[in-house]
Amino acid sequence: MSVRSVVRSTVAPYLTPSGRQAAWNLGWMMAGTVVGQACSIVSLLLLTRVLGRETYGALSSVLSLRVYMLVIGAAGMRHIVLRETGQRPESHDAVLTGHLIITGTAGAVVALAIVIAANLMPISPDERGLWQIIAICNIASCMGVICFFDVAHRQAMSAIVVATVELAGLAALVMLERNGYLTLTTAGVILGGKWVVANAAMLGLYSAIVHPWRWTYVPATVREMWRSSRTLLISRLAGNVPTASGVPLVRLLHGNGAAGLMGLATQAMNAAMMLGAMANRVLQPHVAGPYGRRPEFLRRLGGFIILFYGGVALAGVVGSWAVIHFYLPDAFNPAWGPCCLLIVAGLVMSLARLLSTYLVVARQEAHVARIEFWSAGLYLLIVPLLATWASFRGAAIGTAIASGLLIVLTLFAARTSAAGTEPDCVAGDPADGAK
C-alpha cells in the first residue's frame, strides 16, 4: 500500500461537507490567530526583556489575576450562547442583547471592585495604575461577541480583527521601547487598549456583515440565561484556579524573581491553551448541535484531538526551548522544565473544556461545576505545599496533577452524556450529504 493511499484512507472520514467546512474555518482562523498570537508572544517577550524579572513579575501577577476578572465578567456566557442559539435560533437578537446586558453589568461590577481594592493595597503607584487600567479595559473583553462569530461559523473574520489589533499593539510597544517610554503603566495602556479596540470592532463588524441585530430586551430570556450562567460562572472560577493562581502564589512565597520564571512558564501554558481554545471554537458549535453524539462524529473528533493537540504540545516544547536559549537572558533558563509541564497541563485543561460542552448541552451545568471544584480543591491542597518545597517548579508539578484529575473526571462524565439517546427527529446530517 502506497503512502498516498494510506494518507487518503486516513483523511477520507474527515472529508464530509461539514468536515471540510470545519477545516476551512480552522485553517483561516489559524492563519489569523497565528499572526495575532505571534504578535502577542513577541509583545510579552519584549516586555520581559525591557521590564526585567522584578517588574515583569508584577505585570505577570496582574495579568494572571485578570483571568478571574474576565471569568467573572463574562459570566459563563459562551456555552450558554452556543446552547441557546443552537436550540432557539429565532431568539438570536434577544440572546445577544441578554449577553451584552449580563456581561456588561458583571464586568462593570468587577472593575469597580478592583479599582477600590487597588487604592487600598500597599503597592507602588505604577502597579496601582496598572490594576485600574486593566480592570476598566477588561469590561470590553467581558462583553465580547466572539462566541457569536463561532455560532455563525465565521471564526476567521474575528481572528483577522484580533490579528490586526495585535499588530498595531506590537508596533505601539516597539515605538515606546525605542523612545524609552515603555513602563509598567504604558504597557498596561497598550494591553488594555487592544481589548477595547478589538471587541468594539468585532461588535460593529458582526452587526454590519454577519448578522444584523436589533436591541431586543426580553426579561424572560435574560433571567433564563442568568440562571444557567451562575452555575457556569462558579465552575469557571474554580476551573481557572490552576491557570491564574500560580504566579501570585510563587510571588508571595519566593518573591518577584521566582514569579518572573513562573510567569514565563504560565505564558507558555496560556499560548498552548489559546491554540486549544481556537480548535474548541470550531468544534463546539458542532458538539452542541444535534449530531455531536453520533459515533462517526466522535471518531473524527478523537482523531482530530490526537493530531492537533499532540502537534501543539510538541511545537510548544520545542518553541519554548528555542525562545529561552536563544532570545531571553540566561536568568530565564530554569523556566524550560516548568514550561513543558504547563504546556501539557494547559492543553489537558483546554480539552476538558471542550468535552464539558456535552454536559452543558445536556443542561448538567452543576456537574461541570462539581468537576471543576474537585480539580481546584486538589490544586489548592497540593500546590502551596509543592511551591513551598520547590518554588515555581513545585507549582508547575501541582498544576499538572490537578489538570490530570480534571480530564479524567470530565472524560468519564462526557462519555456518559455522549452515549445518551439521540433525538428522534434527527434522521441525518444534511451537512454530511445525507438525504
Side-chain angles (χ1 to χ4, degrees):
M1 183 178 293
S2 66
V3 174
R4 181 177 180 182
S5 61
V6 171
V7 172
R8 179 174 294 179
S9 62
T10 302
V11 174
Y14 300 90
L15 296 181
T16 63
S18 59
R20 286 194 294 269
Q21 181 189 40
W24 174 267
N25 287 332
L26 182 59
W28 277 103
M29 189 170 64
M30 283 190 67
T33 304
V34 164
V35 174
Q37 286 304 302
C39 293
S40 180
I41 291 171
V42 172
S43 298
L44 289 172
L45 292 175
L46 176 65
L47 291 169
T48 304
R49 188 176 64 180
V50 173
L51 298 179
R53 275 176 55 174
E54 301 295 323
T55 306
Y56 182 72
L59 177 62
S60 294
S61 298
V62 177
L63 293 179
S64 295
L65 292 176
R66 185 248 172 178
V67 173
Y68 287 113
M69 301 182 214
L70 182 57
V71 168
I72 296 173
M77 275 290 111
R78 173 176 173 77
H79 285 83
I80 304 303
V81 167
L82 290 173
R83 186 185 70 197
E84 295 300 317
T85 53
Q87 295 179 353
R88 298 186 299 177
E90 72 282 356
S91 302
H92 171 273
D93 288 0
V95 172
L96 179 50
T97 302
H99 166 78
L100 294 176
I101 291 173
I102 293 171
T103 56
T105 302
V109 171
V110 171
L112 179 61
I114 294 298
V115 169
I116 294 173
N119 282 283
L120 299 177
M121 289 189 296
I123 54 179
S124 68
D126 283 348
E127 189 171 354
R128 181 175 296 110
L130 177 67
W131 275 105
Q132 294 171 345
I133 292 168
I134 295 301
I136 294 172
C137 294
N138 184 64
I139 299 174
S141 294
C142 297
M143 299 176 67
V145 296
I146 197 167
C147 52
F148 288 89
F149 282 88
D150 299 345
V151 170
H153 300 287
R154 302 293 288 272
Q155 295 95 342
M157 187 177 294
S158 60
I160 291 172
V161 173
V162 173
T164 302
V165 174
E166 288 289 352
L167 280 168
L170 176 58
L173 288 176
V174 171
M175 186 178 300
L176 289 172
E177 189 271 336
R178 289 186 176 181
N179 289 279
Y181 294 111
L182 186 55
T183 64
L184 202 59
T185 301
T186 57
V189 171
I190 298 301
L191 293 175
K194 290 191 303 184
W195 307 333
V196 174
V197 173
N199 287 288
M202 278 191 280
L203 179 58
L205 191 63
Y206 181 82
S207 181
I209 298 177
V210 179
H211 195 303
W213 69 284
R214 295 180 301 173
W215 183 269
T216 306
Y217 175 59
V218 180
T221 299
V222 175
R223 285 195 299 269
E224 184 177 351
M225 292 174 67
W226 172 240
R227 279 197 297 268
S228 294
S229 72
R230 285 180 300 183
T231 304
L232 287 176
L233 167 59
I234 295 172
S235 71
R236 287 295 172 258
L237 283 173
N240 279 281
V241 167
T243 61
S245 303
V247 175
L249 178 62
V250 171
R251 184 187 185 189
L252 177 66
L253 293 174
H254 299 284
N256 282 341
L261 296 173
M262 186 64 185
L264 180 61
T266 301
Q267 291 300 333
M269 176 179 68
N270 290 338
M273 291 186 73
M274 182 67 70
L275 292 172
M278 180 181 64
N280 291 357
R281 286 177 52 198
V282 173
L283 294 171
Q284 281 174 328
H286 297 281
V287 170
Y291 314 104
R293 294 179 295 182
R294 287 190 152 197
E296 59 270 25
F297 174 82
L298 294 174
R299 286 194 295 269
R300 293 198 296 268
L301 179 64
F304 176 85
I305 288 171
I306 293 172
L307 293 175
F308 184 85
Y309 277 76
V312 170
L314 180 60
V317 168
V318 174
S320 61
W321 178 85
V323 167
I324 290 172
H325 285 81
F326 296 114
Y327 180 79
L328 295 178
D330 291 343
F332 284 94
N333 286 347
W336 185 63
C339 278
C340 296
L341 270 178
L342 291 186
I343 285 170
V344 175
L347 289 172
V348 168
M349 287 185 280
S350 182
L351 178 58
R353 289 172 183 175
L354 170 64
L355 298 178
S356 68
T357 306
Y358 283 106
L359 302 177
V360 177
V361 170
R363 300 186 180 272
Q364 298 179 18
E365 295 93 345
H367 198 39
V368 177
R370 285 193 293 270
I371 292 172
E372 297 280 13
F373 268 109
W374 275 104
S375 177
L378 178 64
Y379 179 93
L380 294 174
L381 178 65
I382 65 173
V383 168
L385 297 176
L386 293 175
T388 301
W389 166 61
S391 187
F392 59 95
R393 295 183 179 89
I397 294 171
T399 304
I401 295 172
S403 70
L405 176 65
L406 176 66
I407 191 63
V408 169
L409 295 178
T410 305
L411 181 60
F412 177 78
R415 285 185 62 186
T416 302
S417 176
T421 304
E422 294 187 50
D424 295 336
C425 60
V426 177
D429 186 350
D432 285 342
K435 297 182 177 64

